[in-house]
């Protein structure tokens, strides 16, 4: 076997060799593990980063900095409202024969840019649905290489609007310099569902049975709503996303390697959920209702209004969902030689129901043409109940042989977010944005645990516990962002962000043999106080030289933590707080180059952080399952990761390919670890090891036969975890883990079809291969969702029927082992659910600015590329 050595300054060549070795034959998965992952994984980031960056810059800048070809740019706007038209088609044609030269779509600022234009005469054509086509002649000469057309205004075509029936085939994908964007406004399979259901249909994203979100298999991911945390934390986002209606979402932005401009929290990246905010002249609204086979239902209504001075929107909804789930756990206790000596098995069932009322409202007042004042608010509040049973069987000496535990809990949830925003436009390309926001998350929960025991001598006993657990979190966030585009293709962004987080979670428990004898249990009292302040400064600089683009940035953050755990009868003055202060530096570098014939490559490097969440820090013991108790570790340190990613994008008329090769190393990895103590399985968290991962992700979008659209995502990745040894507080033996390595993969296919009589059909299938976890591995799982939609009355009425988890296959099965035990466990949350939803739209608005219809763009992100 020939081995390719990775030298200190040869990382780009390594990527090239990896590509050749991986795809030269059909054994790609084997070669990926053999050549890319197993050898020299440690060497990539041991090398000096300075030399790597110097090499990258020299590689890109040398051949392209002195290109002699021309460029053209401009902005496309609505001639009446003067609003930006985003995702519109812009093409360059040869003047003499109107032969296609280049194509692109406008960004969210309505801007477009072309480069590498040879001297000659051309026609620029701008089109958008319900607007008249605009053509403008221009000439690239040897003395006029860079042309700025300023602002182009498209005239609305009311006649065309009446004649065209818009039919879309599901989500559209496009790639910006630092993110992928998925338009899911018409996602059928998620109709009547929640934000969690939408995310399951997004490439690269996974949602497990507990509602936890991961990106490329990494659960350390940040989730935003409208570009901000909006009260979402690792502690509550599963509950919030499960209640947020799918119909309120316009698009999902996936940022796998965020720049220094963004909050560096989350080593896996950022998922930004952008809610609908239709700002159009006049008014627009919709009402919606749905019901599912679990007897859950949803009712929503919203309205939008826009005039020259004021833009406003409001929405209110009610969502009730009911779930049936369960699980099992089979544990074998072993001696020092690993031989089985006893067992403890359990089976569980649970049912839950309830849901929140949701509201959204906001408005923007345009004080002048350059000054804009906005205020927004959103929230949800509601009631939820859950009932479950656990059956135990055991032959552990001096313990019960069977037991039945019942749990009933009721919780009240309140979540609110308010923001005040002021924006001043110095010019069309320069502005200052100031904002202050307040986020509140509160959950009051009361749970009752009753358990009966049967022993080998036929004796019995009972136990009763009532636990009151309140979680109160509030966060203030202050931001100042400045943007300035100057000269030719230069852009500076700089800003300040301050996040002040306060968390308090008192717990009270009453214990006894039964309800009448239960008394306050001071040993199970806990009051956890957690304060975290983060202050950050960032700056980025972007420049484009012909076809080459570069963005460099840096972010500095100061973090202050003050934490206390109070026992019964203790006050804050009785306890010495645990304090931690640290400064973190987060650089980022993004390089891009446009190759001929709609090819583009990108290379980027960033540094990220994952701070432990409140429930991972809180040392209070969760007693929901008396045989499996979990608790947090207040002394956890944050994880730090270095990430390197190489992207390739290619567009044809009907096809798009996006390929990414990535590498990441992480220090102080936070892992869930388990150990036996007095025949009780205890679980906590610890910074146990270092990890490294590498892989390749391939996203392919194909428009076939004018009625079928396929989006396929394949992710192959390899990871290593170093050996560890940790002695939990109170344990007699350390928890150990051997060094391990894992190769895994997942695939997701989303198919959208246009059926006769204007029916739209969507089906989503996914498969996740087995994956390594601390002390064991997770089994493979797969899933299938589908939906169909039909529009009536000039598309004012939409009816949809969707089915989620059609195969009843959404399970999470794990196999773990440690000192004295081997355990197999599984959980599942819901069986197949079928949902029927009806939506009626009304208003006197102008045409909505959505991407071009499928018949015109052919699934190519609005780009008229070459034939495939």
């Amino acid at each position: 076997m020939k081995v390719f050595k990775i030298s200190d300054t040869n990382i780009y060549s390594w990527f090239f060799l990896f590509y050749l070795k991986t795809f030269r034959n059909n054994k790609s998965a084997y070669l990926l593990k053999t050549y890319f992952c197993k050898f020299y994984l440690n060497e990539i980031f041991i090398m000096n980063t300075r030399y790597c960056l110097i090499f990258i810059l020299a590689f890109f800048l040398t051949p392209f900095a002195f290109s002699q070809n021309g460029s053209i740019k401009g902005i496309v706007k609505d001639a009446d409202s003067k609003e930006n038209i985003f995702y519109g088609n812009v093409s360059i044609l040869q003047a003499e024969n109107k032969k296609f030269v280049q194509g692109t779509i406008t960004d969210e600022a309505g801007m477009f840019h072309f480069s590498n234009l040879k001297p000659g005469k051309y026609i620029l054509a701008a089109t958008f649905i319900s607007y008249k086509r605009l053509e403008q002649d221009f000439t690239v000469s040897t003395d006029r290489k860079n042309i700025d057309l300023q602002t182009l205004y498209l005239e609305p075509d009311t006649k065309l609007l009446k004649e065209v029936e818009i039919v879309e085939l599901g989500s559209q994908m496009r790639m910006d310099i630092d993110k992928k964007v998925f338009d899911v406004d018409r996602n059928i399979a998620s109709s009547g569902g929640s934000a969690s259901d939408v995310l399951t249909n997004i490439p690269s994203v996974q949602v497990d049975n507990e509602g936890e979100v991961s990106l490329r298999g990494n659960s350390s991911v940040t989730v935003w709503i409208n570009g901000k945390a909006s009260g979402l934390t690792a502690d509550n986002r599963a509950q919030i996303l499960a209640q947020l209606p799918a119909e309120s979402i316009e698009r999902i932005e996936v940022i796998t390697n965020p720049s220094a401009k963004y909050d560096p929290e989350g080593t896996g990246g950022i998922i930004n959920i952008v809610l609908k905010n239709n700002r159009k002249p006049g008014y627009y609204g919709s009402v919606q209702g749905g019901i599912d086979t679990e007897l859950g239902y949803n009712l929503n209504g919203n309205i939008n209004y826009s005039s020259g001075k004021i833009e406003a929107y409001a929405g209110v909804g009610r969502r009730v969902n009911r779930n049936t789930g369960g699980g099992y756990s089979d544990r074998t206790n072993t001696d020092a030689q690993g031989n089985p000596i006893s067992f403890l098995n359990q089976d569980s069932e649970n049912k839950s129901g309830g849901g929140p009322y949701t509201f959204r409202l906001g408005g923007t007042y345009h004080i002048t043409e350059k000054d804009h004042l906005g205020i927004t608010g959103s929230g949800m509040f509601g009631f939820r109940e859950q009932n479950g049973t656990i059956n135990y069987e055991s032959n552990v000496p001096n313990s019960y042989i069977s037991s039945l535990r019942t749990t009933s809990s009721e919780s009240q949830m309140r979540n609110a977010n308010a923001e005040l925003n002021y924006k001043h436009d110095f010019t069309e390309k320069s502005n200052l944005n100031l904002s202050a926001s307040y986020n509140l998350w509160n959950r009051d929960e009361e749970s009752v645990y009753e358990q009966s025991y049967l022993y080998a001598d036929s004796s019995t006993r009972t136990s009763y516990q009532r636990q009151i657990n309140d979680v109160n979190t509030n966060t203030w966030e202050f931001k100042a962002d400045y943007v300035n585009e100057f000269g030719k293709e230069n852009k500076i962004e700089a800003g300040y962000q301050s996040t002040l987080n306060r968390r308090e979670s008192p717990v009270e428990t009453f214990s006894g043999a039964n309800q009448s004898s239960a008394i306050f249990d001071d040993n199970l009292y806990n009051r956890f106080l957690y304060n975290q302040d983060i202050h950050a400064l960032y700056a980025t600089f972007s420049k484009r030289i012909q076809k080459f683009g570069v963005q460099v940035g840096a972010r500095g953050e100061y973090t202050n933590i003050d934490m206390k755990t109070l026992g019964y009868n203790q006050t804050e003055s009785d306890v010495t707080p645990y304090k931690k202060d640290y400064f973190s530096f987060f650089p980022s570098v993004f390089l891009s180059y446009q190759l001929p014939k709609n090819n583009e490559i990108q290379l980027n490097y960033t540094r990220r952080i994952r701070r432990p969440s409140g429930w991972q820090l809180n040392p209070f013991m969760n007693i929901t399952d008396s045989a499996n108790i979990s608790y947090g570790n207040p002394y956890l340190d944050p994880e730090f990761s270095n990430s390197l990613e190489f992207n390739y994008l290619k567009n044809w008329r009907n096809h798009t390919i996006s390929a990414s090769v990535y590498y990441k190393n992480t220090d102080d990895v936070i892992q869930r670890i388990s150990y036996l103590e007095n025949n009780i399985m205890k679980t906590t968290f610890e910074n146990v090891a270092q990890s490294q991962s590498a892989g390749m992700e391939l996203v392919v979008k194909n428009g076939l036969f004018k009625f079928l659209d396929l989006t396929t995502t394949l992710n192959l990745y390899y990871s290593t975890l170093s050996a560890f040894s940790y002695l939990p507080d109170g344990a007699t033996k350390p928890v150990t883990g051997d060094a391990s390595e894992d190769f895994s993969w997942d695939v997701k296919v989303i198919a959208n079809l246009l059926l006769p009589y204007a029916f739209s059909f969507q089906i989503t299938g996914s498969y996740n291969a087995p994956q390594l976890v601390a002390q064991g591995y997770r089994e493979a799982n797969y899933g299938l969702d589908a939906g169909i939609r039909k529009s009536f009355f000039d598309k004012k009425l939409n009816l949809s029927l969707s089915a989620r988890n059609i195969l009843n296959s959404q399970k999470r099965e794990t196999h773990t082992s440690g000192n004295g035990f081997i355990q197999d466990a599984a959980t599942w949350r819901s069986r197949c659910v079928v949902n029927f939803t009806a939506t009626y739209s009304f208003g006197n608005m102008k045409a909505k600015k959505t991407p071009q219809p499928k018949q015109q763009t052919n699934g190519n992100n609005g780009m008229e590329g070459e034939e495939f």
Side-chain angles (χ1 to χ4, degrees):
M1 180 185 295
K2 185 177 180 180
V3 176
F4 292 91
K5 185 173 181 180
I6 304 172
S7 64
D8 289 349
T9 59
N10 202 24
I11 191 168
Y12 185 85
S13 298
W14 178 79
F15 275 122
F16 179 69
L17 290 174
F18 159 71
Y19 176 85
L20 292 179
K21 295 296 293 181
T22 303
F23 297 102
R24 190 173 58 186
N25 53 48
N26 294 328
K27 300 179 180 179
S28 58
Y30 172 79
L31 289 172
L32 175 66
K33 181 175 180 180
T34 305
Y35 293 101
F36 177 52
C37 303
K38 194 170 183 180
F39 296 104
Y40 304 115
L41 204 55
N42 293 325
E43 295 187 26
I44 297 176
F45 263 82
I46 295 175
M47 66 183 178
N48 192 306
T49 305
R50 293 178 301 169
Y51 296 127
C52 175
L53 295 178
I54 291 172
F55 174 81
I56 294 167
L57 290 170
F59 177 84
F60 281 102
L61 287 172
T62 301
F64 311 121
F66 302 100
S67 175
Q68 298 299 311
N69 294 332
S71 67
I72 185 171
K73 63 181 180 179
I75 301 175
V76 180
K77 292 190 174 187
D78 184 305
D80 290 347
S81 66
K82 303 300 187 291
E83 291 183 349
N84 299 328
I85 294 180
F86 46 93
Y87 317 146
N89 283 343
V90 183
S91 304
I92 300 293
L93 311 174
Q94 291 183 2
E96 56 183 358
N97 54 17
K98 291 195 174 183
K99 183 178 179 181
F100 175 79
V101 179
Q102 292 188 42
T104 188
I105 59 174
T106 58
D107 62 19
E108 294 186 5
M111 299 182 65
F112 64 88
H113 176 271
F114 294 99
S115 59
N116 196 32
L117 293 172
K118 297 179 181 179
K121 295 182 178 181
Y122 298 93
I123 299 174
L124 182 137
T127 61
F128 195 76
I129 189 67
S130 79
Y131 286 84
K132 296 178 181 178
R133 179 184 178 92
L134 173 68
E135 292 189 358
Q136 182 166 330
D137 298 330
F138 69 95
T139 301
V140 177
S141 59
T142 55
D143 59 345
R144 191 187 179 208
K145 301 173 187 175
N146 302 311
I147 302 171
D148 188 349
L149 295 180
Q150 302 297 326
T151 303
L152 305 177
Y153 293 101
L154 295 188
E155 297 284 346
D157 190 338
T158 55
K159 180 180 178 181
L160 178 64
L161 179 62
K162 292 178 181 179
E163 294 176 351
V164 175
E165 179 182 5
I166 302 174
V167 180
E168 295 183 46
L169 283 177
S171 61
Q172 299 291 312
M173 179 189 73
R174 63 184 185 278
M175 189 169 82
D176 293 342
I177 190 171
D178 57 357
K179 63 186 174 185
K180 294 176 183 176
V181 183
F182 302 90
D183 296 308
V184 297
D185 188 17
R186 297 178 62 84
N187 190 289
I188 305 171
S190 304
S191 295
S194 65
S196 298
D197 300 316
V198 172
L199 291 174
T200 61
N201 290 298
I202 299 298
S204 311
V205 179
Q206 300 85 33
V207 182
D208 66 17
N209 290 325
E210 284 72 42
E212 296 300 328
V213 180
S214 59
L215 182 59
R216 290 178 175 171
N218 190 339
S219 61
S220 175
V221 60
T222 296
V223 181
W224 285 343
I225 296 178
N226 290 338
K228 299 178 177 62
S230 301
L232 269 69
T233 68
D235 301 326
N236 63 30
R237 73 183 179 205
Q239 295 97 324
I240 293 178
L241 294 178
Q243 307 302 326
L244 184 65
E247 282 71 21
S248 66
I249 301 172
E250 179 178 306
R251 65 183 185 273
I252 304 292
E253 298 176 346
V254 177
I255 311 172
T256 54
N257 212 14
S259 71
K261 174 183 176 180
Y262 299 99
D263 188 332
E265 178 66 40
T267 59
I270 297 172
I271 298 173
N272 183 29
I273 300 172
V274 181
L275 302 181
K276 295 177 182 176
N277 182 12
N278 301 292
R279 298 183 296 180
K280 295 167 286 202
Y283 69 91
Y284 165 81
S286 66
V287 291
Q288 179 194 84
I291 189 169
D292 62 41
T293 51
E294 293 287 310
L295 299 182
Y297 64 89
N298 64 88
L299 297 169
N300 298 283
N302 68 84
I303 189 167
N304 299 262
Y305 171 79
S306 179
S307 66
K309 277 285 188 180
I310 298 175
E311 298 169 354
Y313 65 90
V316 64
R318 168 67 164 158
R319 174 177 170 81
V320 172
N321 55 16
R322 295 181 171 91
N323 292 308
T324 301
Y328 68 83
S329 174
D330 297 335
R331 187 172 79 222
T332 301
N333 300 320
T334 60
D335 57 21
Q337 288 73 40
N339 301 312
I341 55 177
S342 61
F343 70 87
L344 173 61
N345 298 336
Q346 60 188 74
D347 293 290
S348 64
E349 294 181 357
N350 59 76
K351 294 182 178 181
S352 62
Y357 295 91
T358 62
F359 68 89
R360 292 192 308 119
L361 69 159
T364 300
Y365 176 60
H366 301 285
I367 305 170
T368 68
E369 290 186 358
K370 294 187 176 183
D371 297 281
H372 318 277
L373 182 65
I375 184 169
T376 61
S378 63
M380 59 178 65
F381 59 93
F383 172 82
R384 189 164 184 80
E385 61 181 3
Q386 182 170 337
N387 299 287
T389 61
I390 304 176
N391 284 287
Y392 301 87
E393 291 185 359
S394 172
N395 68 348
V396 176
N398 302 318
S399 183
Y400 55 81
I401 59 173
S402 66
S403 180
L404 174 64
R405 184 177 180 87
T406 62
T407 300
S408 61
S409 64
E410 298 178 352
S411 61
Q412 291 281 350
M413 180 186 70
R414 292 175 292 277
N415 171 240
N417 169 255
E419 178 180 320
L420 181 66
N421 176 273
Y422 168 75
K423 180 182 179 183
H424 176 74
D425 297 317
F426 299 102
T427 66
E428 285 189 351
K429 301 179 180 180
S430 176
N431 63 73
L432 175 65
N433 202 325
L434 306 175
S435 66
S437 63
Y438 176 75
N439 303 290
L440 170 69
W441 163 258
N442 176 264
R443 187 185 68 195
D444 300 331
E445 184 173 32
E446 182 174 349
S447 302
V448 173
Y449 311 103
E450 296 181 90
Q451 192 159 353
S452 59
Y453 306 86
L454 174 64
Y455 293 87
D457 59 2
S458 298
S459 62
T460 62
R461 76 177 180 90
T462 60
S463 67
Y464 173 92
Q465 285 182 321
R466 181 169 67 92
Q467 191 172 87
I468 302 171
N469 185 3
D470 298 336
V471 179
N472 301 282
T473 301
N474 61 83
T475 304
W476 281 98
E477 185 177 89
F478 304 93
K479 293 185 68 176
D481 298 293
Y482 172 73
V483 178
N484 185 18
E485 295 186 43
F486 60 96
K488 295 181 179 179
E489 307 294 337
N490 298 298
K491 183 178 181 180
I492 288 179
E493 296 180 90
Y496 167 80
Q497 179 177 338
S498 181
T499 306
L500 313 177
N501 181 269
R502 303 291 180 266
R503 175 189 173 99
E504 180 177 2
S505 52
V507 180
E508 295 180 351
T509 305
F510 298 82
S511 303
N514 48 54
Q515 182 177 359
S516 60
S517 65
I519 60 173
F520 181 78
D521 192 337
D522 53 12
N523 291 322
L524 292 178
Y525 175 84
N526 174 261
R527 183 182 172 206
F528 182 63
L529 303 174
Y530 182 76
N531 300 329
Q532 177 179 267
D533 297 341
I534 304 173
H535 306 281
L537 287 170
Y538 77 87
T540 66
F541 171 73
S542 306
K543 183 173 181 62
R544 179 168 290 276
I545 306 172
Q546 301 300 328
K547 295 185 292 182
F548 172 72
V550 60
Q551 181 195 87
V552 294
R555 185 184 186 97
E557 289 195 348
Y558 170 74
T559 303
N560 174 265
I561 294 175
D562 187 309
M563 182 168 42
K564 292 181 180 180
T565 300
L566 279 61
Y568 181 63
N569 273 339
Q570 285 186 321
T571 65
E572 293 188 45
S573 60
D574 297 331
V575 177
T576 301
Y578 173 73
K579 294 179 177 288
K580 181 183 293 185
D581 300 334
Y582 58 92
F583 176 81
S584 308
F585 180 68
F586 303 97
S588 66
V589 179
F590 286 76
L591 305 171
S592 67
Y593 182 68
Q594 294 178 349
L595 297 169
K597 298 183 179 180
N598 294 324
N599 291 268
E600 184 176 355
I601 56 175
Q602 298 176 353
L603 181 65
N604 52 66
Y605 161 79
T606 65
R607 188 168 188 256
R608 305 283 295 167
I609 187 175
R610 178 194 182 187
R611 298 180 178 90
S613 59
W615 61 277
Q616 291 176 320
L617 295 166
N618 191 344
F620 179 74
M621 293 191 174
N622 185 336
I623 59 173
T624 304
D625 179 355
S626 60
N628 297 275
I629 295 176
S630 61
Y631 63 96
N633 177 2
Y635 305 111
L636 287 175
D637 292 322
E639 298 179 2
F640 287 94
S641 294
N642 294 291
S643 180
L644 186 67
E645 187 168 318
F646 178 80
N647 298 310
Y648 167 75
L649 178 67
K650 167 66 176 175
N651 282 294
W652 292 272
R653 185 178 297 275
N654 299 312
H655 310 274
T656 300
I657 292 179
S658 171
S660 302
V661 179
Y662 57 89
Y663 169 82
K664 182 177 298 178
N665 70 336
T666 305
D667 295 323
D668 295 323
V669 176
I670 298 174
Q671 285 281 341
R672 185 192 301 266
I673 60 172
S674 301
Y675 62 97
L676 273 178
E677 186 178 274
N678 299 324
N679 292 318
I680 296 176
M681 181 68 70
K682 292 189 175 182
T683 301
T684 187
F685 302 89
E686 178 58 29
N687 300 102
V688 296
Q690 284 73 45
S691 71
Q692 297 181 82
S693 62
M696 185 180 68
E697 181 183 62
L698 187 66
V699 180
V700 181
K701 187 174 179 64
N702 298 293
L704 306 173
F705 315 115
K706 296 185 178 181
F707 64 85
L708 174 62
D709 184 289
L710 288 177
T711 300
T712 305
T713 305
L714 174 64
N715 185 28
L716 309 167
Y717 55 94
Y718 173 82
S719 61
T720 65
L721 187 69
S722 62
F724 64 88
S725 178
Y726 169 67
L727 182 63
D729 188 23
T732 58
K733 293 182 179 180
V735 178
T736 61
D738 296 330
S740 56
E741 60 180 11
D742 178 45
F743 172 76
S744 189
W745 59 281
D746 56 74
V747 63
K748 182 179 293 185
V749 180
I750 304 174
N752 297 277
L753 296 94
L754 285 180
L755 302 178
Y757 304 104
F759 279 92
S760 301
F761 179 74
Q762 182 183 81
I763 185 168
T764 301
S766 63
Y767 176 83
N768 299 289
Q771 184 179 0
L772 179 74
V773 298
Q775 297 180 274
Y777 67 95
R778 183 182 304 160
E779 286 278 12
N781 65 78
Y782 56 92
L784 186 68
D785 301 335
I788 190 168
R789 172 182 286 154
K790 170 66 175 174
S791 298
F792 302 89
F793 308 119
D794 196 23
K795 302 186 75 66
K796 290 184 178 180
L797 177 64
N798 286 282
L799 303 180
S800 63
L801 187 69
S802 63
R804 298 186 295 275
N805 193 20
I806 295 174
L807 304 177
N808 288 324
S809 57
Q810 291 297 312
K811 288 185 179 181
R812 179 174 178 171
E813 298 178 79
T814 58
H815 304 275
T816 56
S817 61
N819 292 326
F821 76 92
I822 300 172
Q823 180 168 286
D824 298 329
T827 59
W828 51 90
R829 186 172 58 171
S830 180
R831 56 193 177 191
C832 176
V833 178
V834 179
N835 183 284
F836 172 77
T837 303
T839 304
Y840 179 77
S841 301
F842 59 89
N844 68 350
M845 71 295 179
K846 290 187 178 180
K848 181 181 178 182
K849 294 181 178 67
T850 56
Q852 295 278 26
K854 182 65 186 179
Q855 294 92 326
Q856 297 184 27
T857 63
N858 295 315
N860 190 31
N861 303 329
M863 299 186 69
E864 300 178 36
E866 59 179 304
E867 293 287 354
F868 182 69

